[in-house]
Amino acid sequence: IPDAYPSIQIQEFKDSILENRKFFKCFIKDDYGFTKMNFNYSFINKETAENLKEKIISLPIPVNKNTNLQELYYFFDMAEIQMQAGDEIEYYFEIWDNDGINGSKSTRSQKMIFKAPTIEELQEKSENANKQIKTDITQIMLDARKLQQDIENFEKKLTEKRQISWQEQQEMQNLIDAQKQLQLQFEQLQLQNKQNNLLQQQFNPVDEEILRKQQELEKLFDDILTPEMKEIIKQMQDMLEKANKDKMQEMLQNMKLTNEDINKELDRSLELFKQLEFEKKMQETIDKLDKLAEKQKKLAEETEKENKTSEELKKEQDNLNNEFEKLQNDIKDLEEKNKELENPNKLENTIDEQQKIKNEMLNSSGSLSKGKNKQASQSQKNAASKMEELSEKFQNMQAAMEEEQLGEDVRSLRSILENLVRVSFQQEDLMQRFSTIKLNNPDYVKLGQEQKNLKTSLQMIEDSLFA
C-alpha cells in the first residue's frame, strides 16, 4: 500500500495586547507516522532594505513519531528574533512522514505573513493611547470630587438625624457603590497604562532612562489604591448592615480622606505622565533627526559619485524633504506638549534652524532638476550638517532640563527638611510650656494660637513636599 503525503492544518491566534506574539493550533495526520516537524520563517528587514527571503530559518517542533493523528500547540514570540518596526516575515509549518521505501515526504502549511507596524504607526497608536489615559485620569478626578461633595452633603444630613432610616441606608449604599465604581475605573486605568507601555516597547527599543521612568510611574499608579483604602469599603458595607450612626460617620470621614488622597495622587500622576510624554517625544525627535541626517549624508555621497540618474536622486531627495516636514510637525507637537505642563521646560525656539535645513533641501531638489549634481551634493551635505547641529541643540536642552530639575529638587528638599526640623523643635517647646501652664492662665489662649500657627506651617510643608 503506497504511503500517502502527510496532511497539516493550522489555526492562528494573536495576543490581545502584543502583536508580536503568535499562537498556533496544529492538526497533523499521516497513514503511517511522522519523522519531524519544523516552523520555518524568512525575514525581510525594511530598515536596511535587505531581502533575506532566501535564508529560511527552521525551528524544530517536538512530535510523537508513532501517533498517526495529533493536535499540537506552538507559540512564537517575534521579540526573540529582534523584529523591528516596519520589518516583515513570512512563515509556515512543514511536516515529514516516515516513508522508509520512497524516502520521507513533506507537506507545508499555507504561508502566512506578518508586517510589523512602522515607527510612525507605533507612535500614532501611543499618542492615541496617551490621550485616552489623560482623559480617563481627568474623568476619575472629576468623579472623585463629585463623590466628595456627595459625602459632605450626606454627612450634614446625618448630623440632623437621631436614627438612620431606610432612606439614609439607601443613600449610604449609593455612596459605597460610587466608591466601588471609582475603584473599578482606576483599576482599568492601571491596566490601560501597562498595556500602553508594553505596546511602545514591542518593535521599537525605548531609551533606558524613559523606560525606568515608565516603570516608576507604573509603580506610582499601583500604589495609589492601597489595601487600607480597599478595606474601608468593606468596613463601610459592614457598618451599613448594623445601621450604627456614629460608626457610619467615622467611615464617611475615612472615605472622604481616601478620596482626597486619590485626587492628590491622580493630580500628581497626571502631571508626571505629561512630563514623561514630553521627554519621550524629545528623545524620538532627536533620534529622527540623527537618522535623517545619516540618510541625507548617504544621498549626498551618491549624488557626488553620480551612481544614479538625476531623476532617481531627485525622487529620493523629495522623499527626505517629506520626512523633514513630518519632523517639523513633531517639533510643533513637542512644543504643545511642553505648554500643557504646569511648569513648562525651557524649550528654545528652533524655527530659524529648521528653515535653514528646509532651504538647503529644497535647493538640492532644484539643482537635481537642472542636472547640477555637484551643487545638489553640497546642499545635501549642508542640510545633513545643520540637522546634526539641531540634534545636538536638542540634546543640550535635554541635559540642561534634567540638570536644572535635579538642582531644583535638591534645593526644595533641603528647604523642606530645614522647615520640618524647625517646626519639630517649636512643637516640642510648645509641649513643654503646655505641661506647666494652668487652664485659667491668660497665656493658655496664646499657646493655643501658637499651636494653630504650627498646624498651618505643617500644611505648608506638606504642600511643598507634594509639589
Side-chain angles (χ1 to χ4, degrees), residues 241-462:
E241 291 168 8
K242 294 174 183 177
N244 186 321
K245 179 188 168 185
D246 294 335
K247 284 288 183 183
M248 194 176 286
Q249 285 177 315
E250 184 185 331
M251 287 292 106
L252 279 170
Q253 190 62 28
N254 289 338
M255 187 196 277
K256 193 163 69 172
L257 291 171
T258 295
N259 283 329
E260 283 176 8
D261 288 341
I262 289 174
N263 246 325
K264 287 179 75 173
E265 290 302 318
L266 281 173
D267 186 40
R268 179 165 67 134
S269 298
L270 179 60
E271 189 61 20
L272 288 172
F273 187 87
K274 287 179 182 178
Q275 175 64 28
L276 181 58
E277 191 181 21
F278 168 81
E279 290 176 13
K280 187 172 179 290
K281 190 71 180 180
M282 171 77 91
Q283 188 59 52
E284 286 172 357
T285 303
I286 292 168
D287 293 341
K288 283 183 180 180
L289 269 169
D290 290 339
K291 285 180 182 177
L292 193 56
E294 196 60 40
K295 287 180 185 177
Q296 189 65 87
K297 268 187 188 176
K298 189 176 178 182
L299 186 59
E301 291 172 7
E302 289 177 351
T303 304
E304 194 173 32
K305 293 175 183 177
E306 298 185 355
N307 293 336
K308 298 177 182 177
T309 64
S310 295
E311 289 79 9
E312 289 174 323
L313 292 168
K314 184 180 183 302
K315 187 179 178 181
E316 288 185 34
Q317 183 60 56
D318 289 342
N319 290 335
L320 293 185
N321 294 355
N322 291 333
E323 279 189 50
F324 186 70
E325 281 185 18
K326 290 178 183 176
L327 186 54
Q328 285 182 296
N329 290 330
D330 286 337
I331 295 172
K332 285 179 185 176
D333 188 36
L334 181 68
E335 291 167 352
E336 289 300 317
K337 281 179 169 46
N338 194 40
K339 288 176 185 175
E340 288 178 14
L341 296 168
E342 286 182 18
N343 299 303
N345 300 285
K346 291 181 181 177
L347 193 63
E348 294 178 38
N349 192 314
T350 59
I351 291 176
D352 288 344
E353 289 90 339
Q354 292 176 50
Q355 191 59 48
K356 287 176 183 176
I357 293 169
K358 189 174 181 179
N359 290 342
E360 292 288 358
M361 295 177 88
L362 290 174
N363 289 341
S364 172
S365 293
S367 298
L368 287 168
S369 298
K370 298 172 184 176
K372 298 178 179 179
N373 286 25
K374 190 174 181 181
Q375 289 182 14
S377 176
Q378 187 57 52
S379 296
Q380 288 166 344
K381 288 176 183 175
N382 293 342
S385 177
K386 284 177 170 43
M387 283 180 204
E388 289 173 343
E389 289 172 10
L390 183 56
S391 172
E392 188 177 351
K393 186 172 184 177
F394 275 118
Q395 289 177 57
N396 291 337
M397 280 190 268
Q398 190 182 46
M401 287 172 199
E402 289 176 3
E403 188 176 345
E404 184 181 359
Q405 184 60 54
L406 186 61
E408 282 182 10
D409 289 345
V410 169
R411 287 192 297 273
S412 297
L413 280 172
R414 186 176 291 119
S415 176
I416 289 167
L417 181 59
E418 288 170 356
N419 288 332
L420 190 57
V421 172
R422 177 179 53 79
V423 171
S424 175
F425 281 122
Q426 289 174 348
Q427 182 67 79
E428 190 174 3
D429 177 62
L430 190 59
M431 284 169 62
Q432 290 172 353
R433 284 190 283 155
F434 258 120
S435 65
T436 59
I437 198 169
K438 294 182 179 179
L439 285 171
N440 56 2
N441 192 316
D443 288 339
Y444 191 87
V445 177
K446 184 181 175 184
L447 293 182
Q449 187 59 48
E450 284 187 40
Q451 182 62 68
K452 286 182 181 178
N453 292 339
L454 284 181
K455 188 177 178 183
T456 304
S457 297
L458 272 174
Q459 185 60 52
M460 290 170 65
I461 292 170
E462 183 185 354

Side-chain angles (χ1 to χ4, degrees), residues 46-63:
K46 294 293 181 185
E47 189 65 31
T48 58
E50 183 183 0
N51 192 331
L52 300 175
K53 271 196 170 182
E54 299 304 317
K55 185 179 179 182
I56 296 173
I57 297 138
S58 297
L59 303 174
I61 301 173
V63 60

Side-chain angles (χ1 to χ4, degrees), residues 133-227:
I133 289 172
K134 287 186 287 187
T135 301
D136 290 346
I137 291 175
T138 305
Q139 186 58 53
I140 294 173
M141 289 170 69
L142 290 172
D143 292 344
R145 288 194 190 107
K146 183 181 180 302
L147 180 57
Q148 195 83 343
Q149 188 60 51
D150 291 342
I151 292 170
E152 289 175 6
N153 293 339
F154 186 61
E155 272 186 315
K156 291 175 185 175
K157 190 174 180 180
L158 273 187
T159 55
E160 299 168 2
K161 299 277 184 178
R162 290 186 178 180
Q163 289 184 332
I164 299 174
S165 67
W166 178 86
Q167 186 178 352
E168 279 80 47
Q169 283 183 306
Q170 192 60 41
E171 285 185 49
M172 186 67 178
Q173 184 62 58
N174 292 339
L175 291 175
I176 293 171
D177 292 341
Q179 186 74 40
K180 287 179 181 177
Q181 181 60 32
L182 199 66
Q183 182 178 321
L184 182 62
Q185 284 176 260
F186 189 77
E187 287 170 351
Q188 289 171 343
L189 176 67
Q190 287 174 309
L191 180 62
Q192 192 179 352
N193 183 57
K194 287 177 182 176
Q195 289 176 353
N196 185 31
N197 289 341
L198 287 171
L199 177 71
Q200 292 179 36
Q201 297 164 28
Q202 270 190 95
F203 302 104
N204 190 25
V206 180
D207 179 76
E208 283 187 19
E209 184 62 18
I210 298 291
L211 185 61
R212 184 188 67 79
K213 289 181 179 180
Q214 280 181 343
Q215 291 168 348
E216 288 292 330
L217 186 56
E218 202 172 291
K219 185 176 180 298
L220 189 64
F221 272 120
D222 291 341
D223 291 344
I224 290 177
L225 275 182
T226 62

